[in-house]
Amino acid sequence: MSSFLYYIQQYVSISEEVKKEILDLVLIENVLKGDILLEEGKICKRIYFIEKGTVRTYFYQKGKDITYWIYPDNSIVTSWHSYLRCKPATESIQAIEDTLIYSLTYDQWQELYTKYNVLERFGRLIMEEVVALLDDFYKGYYFMSSKEKYELLISVFPDITQRANLGHIASMIGISQETLSRIRGN
């Protein structure tokens, strides 16, 4: 069974019929390091599941590349506002390692939700988890020191320094690469 189906089954139990339909619809891609899955300004029509690899979301502010988030194996990634509202994305999505992804379009998911209530429940549970994670993260993260932010990131994603560029990590936690080097040195 694919890790994508396993991921879904961590939330809901799905029948063989549902599994088959998902596998018939899903697009499976090997994405190379540096490839862009979504460009800022375009509408995000897909939600991605990362089976293996690492992806980042980023945007440009005053000409500077700012990493918003880094997603490891077994993560769901999309430009949520763009995907759900069919509006141009304010960020880009890029593979920062060679990555194996599964994806479905918004319309495919809507069709699956209509056909299988269990998948609608899965979608709701994913959205609840994302909202709760973002809420918890930003409430605490906003008041943390740079060192505490880095330690939190390492506790959640222990091998991030082997898989992501230190510049991307520093950008994500809002510090310079030099400050990150000092924190890592202590």
Side-chain angles (χ1 to χ4, degrees), residues 24-53:
D24 286 346
L25 292 173
V26 74
L27 175 63
I28 303 170
E29 296 177 274
N30 284 301
V31 181
L32 300 176
K33 178 180 180 177
D35 284 355
I36 304 294
L37 297 171
L38 173 69
E39 289 181 37
E40 179 181 345
K42 297 206 172 165
I43 295 174
C44 185
K45 298 184 187 227
R46 294 189 164 274
I47 192 165
Y48 302 95
F49 172 76
I50 304 166
E51 179 170 296
K52 182 165 180 31

Side-chain angles (χ1 to χ4, degrees), residues 102-120:
Y102 295 71
S103 69
L104 289 158
T105 66
Y106 177 87
D107 291 339
Q108 288 171 323
W109 271 118
Q110 295 308 307
E111 201 173 299
L112 287 168
Y113 290 162
T114 300
K115 195 169 181 180
Y116 303 106
N117 288 341
V118 69
L119 290 178
E120 189 169 46

Side-chain angles (χ1 to χ4, degrees), residues 142-154:
Y142 188 71
F143 299 104
M144 290 180 168
S145 69
S146 298
K147 183 175 182 178
E148 290 169 327
K149 289 176 184 178
Y150 178 71
E151 288 170 350
L152 174 63
L153 182 60
I154 294 299

Side-chain angles (χ1 to χ4, degrees), residues 63-141:
K64 189 174 178 183
D65 176 324
I66 308 290
T67 296
Y68 179 73
W69 203 262
I70 298 172
Y71 298 84
D73 306 336
N74 298 308
S75 294
I76 295 279
V77 61
T78 193
S79 172
W80 290 104
H81 184 262
S82 178
Y83 175 78
L84 294 171
R85 298 286 186 201
C86 295
K87 300 206 180 231
T90 57
E91 73 264 44
S92 296
I93 303 174
Q94 177 186 42
I96 57 175
E97 289 184 311
D98 290 348
T99 303
L100 177 61
I101 58 169
Y102 295 71
S103 69
L104 289 158
T105 66
Y106 177 87
D107 291 339
Q108 288 171 323
W109 271 118
Q110 295 308 307
E111 201 173 299
L112 287 168
Y113 290 162
T114 300
K115 195 169 181 180
Y116 303 106
N117 288 341
V118 69
L119 290 178
E120 189 169 46
R121 177 173 163 67
F122 166 72
R124 181 180 55 81
L125 292 171
I126 290 296
M127 290 309 300
E128 288 175 358
E129 187 174 286
V130 167
V131 169
L133 174 71
L134 289 173
D135 187 54
D136 280 348
F137 184 78
Y138 281 105
K139 281 180 182 170
Y141 193 77

